[in-house]
Amino acid sequence: MQILYDRIRKDGIVRAGNVLKVDRFLNHQMDIHLFQEIGKEFKRRFEGEEINKILTIEASGIGIACIVAEYFDVPVVFAKKTKTKNIAGEVYTTKVESFTHGTVYDIIVSKEFLGKGDKVLVIDDFLAKGKALDGLTTLIQDSGAELVGAGIVIEKGFQDGGKRIRDKGIRVESLAIVDSMNAETGEIVFRNEDK
Amino acid sequence: MQILYDRIRKDGIVRAGNVLKVDRFLNHQMDIHLFQEIGKEFKRRFEGEEINKILTIEASGIGIACIVAEYFDVPVVFAKKTKTKNIAGEVYTTKVESFTHGTVYDIIVSKEFLGKGDKVLVIDDFLAKGKALDGLTTLIQDSGAELVGAGIVIEKGFQDGGKRIRDKGIRVESLAIVDSMNAETGEIVFRNEDK
């Protein structure tokens, strides 16, 4: 998605340790016009698929998911991150490892909002090692819902999450796949970009 | 806002301890159509005001803020909750007390995304004791931005936050003000509802 490549190059900041900061437009300040273009593009890519729910994870996925949901005309459910004890029976829950923060947290979704008959599109801002997406996939499987696919804004293609999850047969559509980036020069190489 | 009153009565759950659960449509599962009506209503109420940014707080404010932002045609910034040490100088930060969770947390906004010249509408899902709104107000004041007002979906009118903050001269528009609710009967009384 060329406007996303352009925006990442213009406003993204590459830092040492394979960090790509996009908080000017994606996950701290949020450019709603860009989110609308993202929504249209996911709708185009998943055209013809039956989708009746979008699932995301707090916090930075929520805004994108809500705008995308307008194009699919479906409700959004977000998985909550929690460290509190959960009441057995009321929620689906699994553990997610965060490499960014070096922690493990639980994510939960109320059983009321995910289950048989749901055809789910997962939306998230980033895919790197894929642990959040693994967690959401687990919740969907546990609930008996159907995972139609995942729509990701930025995939770090040099990490293994995307390949590993696609190899499981899960459809992953990433609007920008970063194959490499250079913290010294700021250069970013996107997969399959027309030059 | 009658459709909101109706929806709260239909899908809200009143629990002991003045708890109003609205996670079927507002803050776990999110009804995007309702959010669009909320966006239109805030736009109507703040018509004529110059607003160039929406500020909210993670997590459940983000989705509402993003849909509302489409009607104001402005970007959204969300304050992050954090327990990590902040790098002095890069962020505005203040402490917020959570009565729901019995904790105190820091909220931060990058200095890059809030400052002089910003005319800010705060959007949040709930107003009860008003501690989150106090925190956001502090960040706005510290940044030199101008607070135009706050748009709240549900205000607990039997708690003191709304009155206390309005008494400071801050404009607070709440789409549903709950004056009382009864956990045994489920009855909810809204302020100024036409019967």
Side-chain angles (χ1 to χ4, degrees), chain B residues 170-184:
Chain B
I170 294 170
R171 180 172 176 192
V172 180
E173 293 285 345
S174 298
L175 302 188
I177 302 178
V178 177
D179 268 340
S180 68
M181 50 190 198
N182 186 322
E184 286 177 23

Side-chain angles (χ1 to χ4, degrees), chain A residues 13 15 23-33 35-36 53 56 58-60 62-67 69-71 73-80 83-84 90 101 108-110 112-113, chain B residues 13 15 23-33 35-36 53 56 58-60 62-67 69-71 73-80 83-84 90 101 108-110 112-113:
Chain A
I13 298 167
R15 293 243 172 107
D23 57 5
R24 286 181 182 159
F25 57 95
L26 196 68
N27 51 19
H28 186 11
Q29 182 164 253
M30 299 183 287
D31 179 338
I32 303 301
H33 287 172
F35 286 15
Q36 291 169 334
K53 192 162 281 186
T56 188
E58 68 175 48
S60 49
I62 297 174
I64 301 159
C66 282
I67 302 289
E70 295 185 300
Y71 295 88
D73 199 20
V74 298
V76 175
V77 173
F78 68 89
K80 299 185 182 193
K83 282 172 188 167
T84 56
E90 286 193 359
H101 300 103
I108 63 163
V109 168
S110 168
E112 189 180 351
F113 307 132
Chain B
I13 298 166
R15 294 245 172 104
D23 56 6
R24 284 179 183 161
F25 57 94
L26 196 68
N27 51 20
H28 187 11
Q29 182 165 254
M30 299 183 284
D31 180 337
I32 303 301
H33 288 172
F35 286 16
Q36 290 168 335
K53 193 162 281 185
T56 188
E58 68 174 51
S60 49
I62 297 174
I64 300 159
C66 282
I67 302 288
E70 294 185 299
Y71 295 89
D73 199 20
V74 299
V76 175
V77 173
F78 67 89
K80 299 184 181 194
K83 282 173 186 164
T84 57
E90 287 192 359
H101 300 103
I108 63 164
V109 168
S110 168
E112 187 179 352
F113 307 131

